[in-house]
Amino acid sequence: MAAEISGENVERRSTTGMTTKVIKGSLWTFAGQVAPLAVSLVATPFTIRLLGAEAYGALILVGLIPTYLGFADFGMGMASTKFGSEAYAEGDEEKEARVVRTAALISLMTSVPVAAALMIFAPRVIGLFNVPEALQGEAATALRIAAVTLVVNFLCGIFNTPQLARLRMDLNTFINAGSRILGLIATPIILYLGFGIVGAVTVLLVASLINLAGHLIVSSEFVPKLLASNVKSILIRQLIGFGGGLAFASAAAMIVANAEKSVLPAYVDVKALAYYSVAFTLATMATLFSQAMIQSLTPAFSQLQRPEKRHELENLFFRVLRYNLLLVLPTFFILLLIAKPFFFLWAGPEFSENSVVPFFILLSGLLFNIPAYLPYALIIAQGRSDIFVKLYALESVPYLVLAVIFTQRWGINGAAAAWSLRIIIDALLLFRIAGSVNGWSFPLRKLCIRLLPGLILIIGLLAAFLFYNIWWVVLTVAVLSLTAYSVLAVALAFEKEEIAFVRQVIIDRFASQKRLV
């Protein structure tokens, strides 16, 4: 494998065909998200039923608390991706290895003390929430295990850098998805054997350790000197300079991203958190492809930061934005139609009754949030992590107040409304900032024309809801709407050269299969 990598050195440093590389990498990452999600859709109902709503809410809480400590790696995951990708583009393998090693060292120095503090104060942290007294001891032990998992996950997000820099999302996907699927399958088995919340969290720790081992093995093949011992002080300063701003931004982002989830058990109960989490899980399925693109776009944008690549960077940004919006509309259409029967079959009538309305509210915010992943990746690639510090710091206190007020007044629906309002404002600001930093004017009129096929889906959705209780009518409307949308999208939304490229790829694929036969 190492010889193969070395032989392809020159080709991989080329930025030609970056759109194709990004889309291909995004599809791999998307597949790596969908596969564990499919397993989760099967495994989670067993988990809910084996634990019950209260214990499941406690498990969600244990998994949620460490997410507030995402700043503890000091932004080294993203810093490693950015500077490692730049070193790879320069053809400096030794520098790439030093970037990864240095980032891992900084991450350990900053995250281990935070994880240790969480382990020490776990009972007090759990006591801040309305966790039933019978579950508090078990939840505190589980939180200590989750603190160790947090540190391991930070290292996973650093040692996969050589794969991301080369846009080898296939390898990254196999490692990430494989370990997650193992954990998801094992969780209900462990619960059935009676190991409870502690057993479920221990499974996740083992899965993370397997993930880390996979990244170390594969990335060492790409960069043989990856695990050498030397670091350079100048890299420490660069990484801390970038990562420090990102760490502060992440700390504020954790507050604004999850405030409503913490407010729910504090002002309502853990059952409300369970209902909300199920709605949130299905709603965020719509973000899967955008999240997949981030992993490809960040290294791609980082490699296109040179002045002579500005036009290529701009073309990549707007082309991927268009693809993103075209996928969002049919995804939302399908999710809106399947929501109520899905909740009923997946989690039971109790969740169907309490999760549907917040789900619809969350989708309204995600309609704006999903395209905003692109300006986020662009700003990160430009090294402007300071922008997020200011943005999230400005958002955090008003959002926390808004989440408390809305949740106290309207319960789960209020929490969903507060979250949606915040991410709509956040998305609009990110596009405005990205345009200002790059001197771009967004072609809103052109984008709106390209998205006109979406009117077909709106009409189809209204017709489907009028006959919601007649399943064959709903199914017929859905198929006709999606078919009409696809035809019009190809006609109005895609460039001629894009259609020609896809056609040629299909022709070449069929030709190669015939030769094999």
Side-chain angles (χ1 to χ4, degrees):
M1 183 174 178
E4 177 186 347
I5 292 168
S6 176
E8 292 177 355
N9 231 13
V10 175
E11 181 184 348
R12 274 191 256 102
R13 280 151 178 76
S14 172
T15 60
T16 57
M18 189 64 81
T19 300
T20 303
K21 294 177 184 177
V22 167
I23 297 299
K24 184 178 178 181
S26 300
L27 289 172
W28 270 111
T29 306
F30 179 67
Q33 291 173 335
V34 170
L37 179 61
V39 176
S40 177
L41 290 176
V42 176
T44 300
F46 292 100
T47 301
I48 292 173
R49 287 165 174 80
L50 287 167
L51 286 174
E54 282 191 337
Y56 181 68
L59 177 62
I60 294 294
L61 184 64
V62 168
L64 174 65
I65 291 171
T67 64
Y68 285 99
L69 304 176
F71 64 89
D73 78 331
F74 216 69
M76 288 302 107
M78 195 65 74
S80 178
T81 299
K82 171 181 165 49
F83 291 104
S85 296
E86 290 177 354
Y88 167 73
E90 295 165 4
D92 193 338
E93 188 177 282
E94 187 175 346
K95 180 181 177 182
E96 182 184 0
R98 286 199 305 269
V99 166
V100 176
R101 289 196 301 271
T102 307
L105 176 63
I106 296 170
S107 177
L108 285 172
M109 292 173 64
T110 56
S111 63
V112 169
V114 173
L118 182 59
M119 295 174 73
I120 293 169
F121 296 105
R124 294 187 182 182
V125 173
I126 291 296
L128 296 174
F129 303 93
N130 287 331
V131 177
E133 188 174 349
L135 293 171
Q136 287 187 11
E138 189 178 7
T141 302
L143 185 58
R144 291 188 175 105
I145 298 170
V148 179
T149 306
L150 179 72
V151 176
V152 176
N153 287 339
F154 285 152
L155 295 177
C156 292
I158 293 171
F159 282 108
N160 68 347
T161 293
Q163 300 157 49
L164 300 184
R166 290 157 180 78
L167 293 178
R168 287 302 305 269
M169 303 305 174
D170 51 345
L171 298 174
N172 189 56
T173 293
F174 281 124
I175 296 168
N176 290 339
S179 59
R180 283 185 63 195
I181 288 172
L182 286 174
L184 288 167
I185 293 173
T187 297
I189 297 173
I190 290 296
L191 291 174
Y192 180 76
L193 294 174
F195 290 98
I197 298 172
V198 172
V201 176
T202 301
V203 165
L204 297 179
L205 172 58
V206 173
S208 293
L209 289 171
I210 294 172
N211 186 295
L212 177 59
H215 285 308
L216 286 171
I217 292 169
V218 173
S219 292
S220 294
E221 290 290 331
F222 282 114
V223 185
K225 297 179 181 179
L226 184 69
L227 298 179
S229 58
N230 64 313
V231 297
K232 281 194 174 182
S233 58
I234 187 170
L235 274 180
I236 294 177
R237 290 195 296 271
Q238 286 179 339
L239 289 168
I240 289 178
F242 174 82
L246 205 56
F248 286 112
S250 296
M254 285 302 103
I255 295 174
V256 299
N258 296 298
E260 84 289 352
K261 297 186 187 73
S262 299
V263 168
L264 273 170
Y267 286 91
V268 188
D269 53 37
V270 289
K271 271 192 174 183
L273 177 61
Y275 299 144
Y276 181 84
S277 296
V278 168
F280 195 87
T281 297
L282 182 60
T284 51
M285 284 173 59
T287 68
L288 287 179
F289 191 70
S290 296
Q291 290 177 357
M293 279 189 168
I294 285 291
Q295 245 183 348
S296 298
L297 283 172
T298 301
F301 285 159
S302 297
Q303 294 177 42
L304 296 175
Q305 289 302 307
R306 299 189 298 274
E308 65 272 17
K309 298 290 182 179
R310 177 180 171 82
H311 182 66
E312 190 176 343
L313 175 64
E314 186 173 352
N315 282 343
L316 176 62
F317 181 91
F318 287 110
R319 180 171 290 171
V320 174
L321 175 61
R322 180 159 41 88
Y323 295 162
N324 216 295
L325 290 171
L326 288 171
L327 284 172
V328 164
L329 298 178
T331 302
F332 274 44
F333 178 82
I334 294 169
L335 288 175
L336 286 167
L337 285 183
I338 69 169
K340 193 172 182 64
F342 174 83
F343 286 129
F344 184 85
L345 295 172
W346 186 59
E350 187 179 358
F351 285 83
S352 178
E353 183 68 26
N354 292 280
S355 297
V356 172
V357 174
F359 169 76
F360 288 155
I361 297 171
L362 291 169
L363 278 187
S364 67
L366 286 171
L367 183 62
F368 291 83
N369 174 253
I370 289 173
Y373 281 88
L374 274 81
Y376 175 86
L378 181 60
I379 294 168
I380 286 292
Q382 292 172 326
R384 293 298 309 274
S385 57
D386 60 299
I387 289 174
F388 298 108
V389 178
K390 299 168 187 174
L391 181 61
Y392 296 139
L394 287 172
E395 289 181 2
S396 57
V397 174
Y399 176 56
L400 185 58
V401 173
L402 188 71
V404 169
I405 294 172
F406 277 33
T407 303
Q408 282 182 320
R409 188 157 187 174
W410 296 294
I412 302 175
N413 296 339
W419 186 85
S420 293
L421 181 60
R422 195 272 303 174
I423 63 169
I424 289 172
I425 295 171
D426 186 76
L428 295 174
L429 288 173
L430 283 176
F431 273 104
R432 179 67 181 269
I433 292 167
S436 176
V437 169
N438 289 277
W440 293 344
S441 58
F442 290 95
L444 292 178
R445 184 179 176 184
K446 189 176 180 180
L447 278 174
C448 288
I449 293 172
R450 296 290 179 87
L451 295 175
L452 280 177
L455 292 174
I456 296 292
L457 296 180
I458 295 174
I459 295 169
L461 194 62
L462 292 173
F465 277 123
L466 284 175
F467 301 95
Y468 200 70
N469 294 323
I470 308 175
W471 68 267
W472 65 268
V473 174
V474 174
L475 182 61
T476 302
V477 169
V479 171
L480 291 175
S481 299
L482 290 171
T483 302
Y485 173 81
S486 301
V487 172
L488 287 174
V490 170
L492 295 178
F494 288 95
E495 303 285 354
K496 291 181 179 178
E497 61 268 22
E498 293 169 344
I499 298 173
F501 174 78
V502 172
R503 185 185 295 116
Q504 189 60 48
V505 168
I506 295 172
I507 292 171
D508 292 344
R509 185 61 54 90
F510 274 114
S512 63
Q513 289 180 348
K514 284 183 178 179
R515 284 196 296 271
L516 289 173
V517 173

